[in-house]
Amino acid sequence: METTGRADLPGELKYVQYEHSLEAQYLPAIRALISKDLSEPYSIYVYRYFLYQWGHLCYMALDPVDSSLIGVIICKLEPHASHSPPTLRGYIAMLAVSSPYRGHGVATALVKMAIDAMARRNADEIVLETEETNVPAMRLYERLGFLRSKKLHRYYLNGNSAYRLVLLLRPIDPDAAADLSLDDIDLAPR
Amino acid sequence: MSQTNPSQDIIGQPSNRSSSDLDDPAPPMISNDGVVAIDITQKFLSAAATLEPGDLIKDGYFTLFEAVGALEIMDPKMDSGCLAPGESLDEDYDVTRPLSPSEVLGIIDQLLCLELAWNLGYPLSQTLLTNVYIEAMLMPSPVTIGEADFIRNRKHEPRDPMFAVLRAYCLGLLKCCFYVNERIKFEHYYEEEDFVTNTYHRSLLDDIDREEIREEIMAARRLLHSLRQDISGEMADALGFRLELRAAFLRAIELSDLRSNPESLSLPWSQMKAVWDTINKSRHLGTPVPEAFSTKIQRKLASTMPPRPIVQPSFEETYEQFKKLFADGIDVLKVLNYVDSQSLLNFVLTFQAQKPQPLVYIRTLLQSFLFKDMIVLGHLSIRQVVDDDLAIVVLPASRLLDPANDIVEAIHDPRFAIAHQMEQFRLRAAQSYLDIFRAFCQNRCRVRRTLCHSIQDWETVQVDAEEIDTLLQHQLEEKPMPYQTPLTSTPTSSGSEPLAYALPLSSWAYLYKLRLMEWIVQLGFELETYQPDELAGMYWYLSHLAKTRAQHVERIKVFTVQCMNEQRTNSTLTAAGEAQFTRSLEYLRVTILDAAVTWELADSLCCLYTVLQRLRLVVAPPRPYSTDELRYDIRMKPFAAIGLPELPSFDSFSRATAQPESATADLLEYAGRAVAGARKGYEVLAKLNEGDAFTAHSHARWLAGTKNCLKSVIAVNIAISTVRKVMGGLGRGEGDAEAGARLKTEVPRPDKCYHDWWIVPKVSEKK
Ligand SMILES: CC(C)(COP(=O)(O)OP(=O)(O)OC[C@H]1O[C@@H](n2cnc3c(N)ncnc32)[C@H](O)[C@@H]1OP(=O)(O)O)[C@@H](O)C(=O)NCCC(=O)NCCS
């Protein structure tokens, strides 16, 4: 997970919002970057599922010189069904920064852009899961204001557990608090 | 985001696909009455031609779940039929090749590691079903014991002795797996999270009789005995012990269905425990046969998953884990010796709090002991346990629990109504009560999540119980007595104490609800849910809950004593009744003590963490996207809907935690006094015997936990003293900032603490 041979950033990075017309140019690189830290790859449909519907919540960090991909964040934003009244829940599905460029605030910048975009679209909350051993990711999110709401036992295929992290953007409607569930089944299928 | 096993359970096998298959799709011939086939190939192709690559056409029912489950043809990590150039589809291992004794031993020992991996939660496909001998034995599915062999259709020649040994071992292994799988499936567990019960349409010798398998194992052991000369006594013993392990495991499983007489049930477990060490010591005699294990077998299983790697723990880990499994197997049987409901609860709590937690098989075994066929521990009705608990907690020697009420037929007799109303109450509360036990049989993450739901349920149990309490007051002609709740200190207009009824049933429910709430907070510490700067607040809330519990139990005690005195006065107190009162008062005493030490230790930690925050030794991250109040909302969400005790407002929570009006030195002094109180309390607790502590058959575990709390107390004391010393040495004009600069603090992870629920900071002076 930690950087091996840290590189300086090649100047001021370009941060670009994804759009469908960029698929041919960037989807292979996005897949390659995300897959590096996964034991099992996601199928192309998973990427398209997110990018086709929520391309506006995907941001890329690009090399200013050759426009190659350095980091990416992929999200979705949907009404969360098990809540009554439903909340508008943002979900950070994937985040990765190419390992030589880690530790320069690239991921932080990407996450901030995604949060801002979701907040502009009236998200009530933003959630995600991260592996219990992924200290860098947890630190990053917690620094921004996320809280661990619960631990998910053996959540990943490799047998590791996860934490559900939550960022509340506006107060919970007290009348809706009867749904205490903090539940997640619909978001992250197992 | 999590990854998923795509569509797990597909009947039939993937075909060996090559690109030519894709080029030339032969249209299926559909002919059936009432079916009119229309070839839409051209329509489809022309519609598809209007799409850009990457366009996604989906209906509203295509969810993320489907997307994650979808496969990409010709991607070797997703397409199970996709082969590398020159790769063969099948394993070409010959199961008829002769095996040396040491190879048989090597195979068995590798199977042990894989069996463990399966017990840890990995699928059969990546563990035991990677073995070629097991695959040959299970496919095609054997119907008789004779067919259950990796070499089928043998002519009449006798089995090679080494084949006989390996076969007998595999028979025993698979039958054990069958029973383990069935047990787990039958109880409450979480598929994939705790365990994967999928057998991929392989029958784990379901239909082959256990006795026949046992006979084969015995025959193989006799055979080994006769071979001592040829293969060396050491080798014969080594193989023999492994067979003994299988036989004992089968026996242990068989006996566990009896749920009585734990001493005799534990014999095979003890046998396994004993033989396990000898097995470990003879490991070096084995020769590994890695080619007898292959991921390719997964292609034949009913699954669309491409082959995934074999999951094989080291033998050292296997040794430790099975050793623990056998010890837990012996331990868990002790639950069958029922003494009282509170000891039962403490047994389950302490058993499940072990680190590492017992494996899922043991946890489901415990569930079957507790609940199977609605008979608790094989011989108690649910009513017996519930009534026992009511008698201990709120209703010792009470007319409400008199079994004779049930046979009263005169409908105007109050006892008739009492019997009816108590039955209504049991119907309402018994399930919620048993669910506490069930919840604690889950993995620790799930325990906490389940309890977050349960407190809602207990909230309504309490309300419903109060209704029944009111009805019962009439039947009992109960007179209210003066009682002032410490929390609601609103004196009545006359200045005298308000009158109150005992409300035993709702008091009982409230006590459980409070305990559940404390457990949720405590498990939050154990599961590292809180960040360091949250600890002050969470310990404050814990102390708030524990204090509420202590006060509530004091109230129960007042009414219990009153009731006892009444019975004494009107001479209705029998010797048996006297004993029930004594037992109940002992329970109330221990509960108050337990609540008091919890609140005092939590209080002292709250103050200590608040001080460390003032000294900037525990620092909150910047959190530009959040506010303290919004985070309070999320953190306290499980408690928000609870009416009693009501969740403190954010403002009162912040003030209680930060205590801005108290000087740092005063906070430290207060923390010191609280921890001293906790220490006294824990010392008293640690001296209790198992009768007084209600810890029958789990006293040693409970005591160890209590002593760990005592160590936490001492650690808190040291931390407080360290800070006080530095504060005391400050010069004129120096304050919190200077003190902070001279100290350093580490907030350890729970597994580095004396007790998972007490996260004690390590504070030291900088050199
Ligand atoms: C997790 C991950 C995305 C973080 O990426 P990153 O770009 O290194 O993250 P950041 O640079 O924003 O933050 C990392 C550190 O750099 C520091 N940093 C932030 N801004 C900085 C800046 N301008 N200059 C230097 N360092 C900076 C941060 O303080 C942080 O320090 P910490 O280690 O004390 O927490 C990256 O490690 C990764 O791709 N991991 C694999 C995939 C993964 O785990 N994804 C998350 C799944 S939910």
Side-chain angles (χ1 to χ4, degrees), chain A residues 66-111:
Chain A
D66 62 6
S67 290
S68 61
L69 186 77
I70 286 180
V72 66
I73 186 164
I74 296 177
C75 310
K76 68 171 179 164
L77 179 64
E78 273 181 313
H80 182 52
S82 89
H83 282 245
S84 52
T87 61
L88 193 56
R89 182 183 263 196
Y91 180 64
I92 300 180
M94 303 174 207
L95 167 70
V97 171
S98 161
S99 58
Y101 302 106
R102 291 180 189 171
H104 293 287
V106 176
T108 305
L110 288 168
V111 173

Side-chain angles (χ1 to χ4, degrees), chain B residues 52-283:
Chain B
E52 291 292 321
D55 278 0
L56 190 64
I57 307 290
K58 67 171 202 67
D59 63 21
Y61 300 103
F62 186 83
T63 63
L64 176 54
F65 186 78
E66 266 92 25
V68 172
L71 303 174
E72 262 174 81
I73 306 299
M74 296 310 292
D75 181 320
K77 279 194 157 179
M78 292 186 231
D79 181 350
S80 64
C82 176
L83 302 177
E87 184 186 3
S88 68
L89 185 67
D90 284 332
E91 198 44 58
D92 16 65
Y93 183 94
D94 176 14
V95 291
T96 62
R97 82 165 175 94
L99 286 174
S100 72
S102 121
E103 284 176 321
V104 171
L105 195 76
I107 293 171
I108 288 178
D109 283 356
Q110 190 165 349
L111 286 172
L112 279 167
C113 298
L114 297 177
E115 183 184 2
L116 172 76
W118 179 59
N119 272 288
L120 291 176
Y122 295 95
L124 279 175
S125 59
Q126 287 175 270
T127 57
L128 289 168
L129 293 184
T130 60
N131 178 257
V132 293
Y133 292 98
I134 286 182
E135 172 63 9
M137 179 178 272
L138 293 182
M139 279 312 277
S141 188
V143 180
T144 63
I145 183 83
E147 283 170 16
D149 195 343
F150 30 83
I151 305 171
R152 304 285 174 101
N153 307 323
R154 67 172 66 252
K155 309 280 157 0
H156 292 289
E157 74 234 32
R159 262 189 202 97
D160 169 89
M162 282 308 114
F163 285 167
V165 170
L166 183 57
R167 168 174 175 262
Y169 183 89
C170 291
L171 288 172
L173 165 65
L174 290 167
K175 195 71 187 177
C176 280
C177 292
F178 167 73
Y179 286 118
V180 167
N181 210 41
E182 291 299 301
R183 166 59 52 229
I184 294 173
K185 272 198 287 192
F186 199 77
E187 303 299 340
H188 199 288
Y189 76 101
Y190 292 89
E191 181 75 26
E192 286 192 31
E193 180 174 313
D194 287 313
F195 196 76
V196 182
T197 57
N198 195 349
T199 60
Y200 308 92
H201 290 276
R202 292 286 186 271
S203 151
L204 299 174
L205 305 182
D206 310 12
D207 302 325
I208 310 259
D209 187 61
R210 169 163 59 196
E211 290 314 310
E212 287 182 310
I213 289 177
R214 207 190 329 266
E215 201 29 65
E216 295 289 335
I217 296 175
M218 292 310 147
R221 288 177 69 186
R222 286 193 297 273
L223 181 66
L224 279 171
H225 196 73
S226 69
L227 288 174
R228 293 184 73 82
Q229 298 296 321
D230 309 328
I231 66 173
S232 90
E234 202 185 15
M235 180 59 85
D237 286 343
L239 290 167
F241 286 137
R242 284 156 176 79
L243 290 173
E244 187 182 339
L245 181 80
R246 293 295 21 148
F249 211 149
L250 276 177
R251 182 84 182 136
I253 290 168
E254 181 182 1
L255 290 179
S256 65
D257 281 342
L258 298 178
R259 295 202 293 167
S260 64
N261 201 348
E263 284 67 39
S264 62
L265 262 58
S266 73
L267 287 178
W269 287 104
S270 304
Q271 196 184 355
M272 282 188 273
K273 195 176 155 188
V275 89
W276 187 238
D277 266 313
T278 359
I279 288 175
N280 187 40
K281 286 193 194 108
S282 53
R283 209 159 23 109

Side-chain angles (χ1 to χ4, degrees), chain A residues 20 23 31 38-46 48-50 52-53 76 83 89 91-94 111-113 115-116 125 128-130 132 142-161 163 166-172 177-190, chain B residues 1-5 52-58 62-72 75 77-78 120-122 191-195 305 308-309 357 363 443-446 448-449 452-456 526-531 534 621-627 629-635 637-638 640-641 749:
Chain A
H20 188 52
E23 168 162 325
R31 288 188 76 177
L38 296 176
S39 57
E40 306 294 323
Y42 292 129
S43 78
I44 185 84
Y45 306 106
V46 175
R48 284 189 176 146
Y49 178 85
F50 286 107
Y52 194 75
Q53 301 182 82
K76 68 171 179 164
H83 282 245
R89 182 183 263 196
Y91 180 64
I92 300 180
M94 303 174 207
V111 173
K112 283 178 159 180
M113 284 177 204
I115 297 175
D116 290 337
E125 55 180 347
L128 60 103
E129 297 92 27
T130 181
E132 57 175 334
E142 289 178 344
R143 209 168 31 229
L144 294 173
F146 283 81
L147 213 60
R148 299 180 200 182
S149 71
K150 62 183 152 191
K151 190 170 177 181
L152 309 163
H153 183 67
R154 286 178 55 88
Y155 186 72
Y156 292 97
L157 285 178
N158 61 12
N160 278 350
S161 297
Y163 283 101
V166 182
L167 178 70
L168 197 60
L169 293 174
R170 54 180 78 197
I172 299 173
D179 178 66
L180 46 132
S181 62
L182 294 169
D183 248 332
D184 42 79
I185 325 110
D186 48 339
L187 273 176
R190 300 185 30 97
Chain B
M1 203 172 113
S2 149
Q3 294 165 272
T4 298
N5 292 331
E52 291 292 321
D55 278 0
L56 190 64
I57 307 290
K58 67 171 202 67
F62 186 83
T63 63
L64 176 54
F65 186 78
E66 266 92 25
V68 172
L71 303 174
E72 262 174 81
D75 181 320
K77 279 194 157 179
M78 292 186 231
L120 291 176
Y122 295 95
E191 181 75 26
E192 286 192 31
E193 180 174 313
D194 287 313
F195 196 76
M305 286 290 284
R308 309 236 323 263
Q357 216 191 348
R363 293 197 270 121
N443 68 61
R444 297 302 268 179
C445 302
R446 284 288 178 178
R448 181 162 182 274
R449 293 169 68 180
C452 286
H453 294 273
S454 304
I455 52 174
Q456 299 297 312
E526 176 177 330
L527 297 171
E528 286 184 87
T529 314
Y530 313 129
Q531 290 166 47
E534 288 185 83
R623 298 178 174 137
Y625 285 94
S626 175
T627 66
E629 187 161 1
L630 285 170
R631 284 196 317 286
Y632 183 71
D633 278 2
I634 313 177
R635 181 55 76 214
K637 198 167 163 196
R749 309 183 59 167

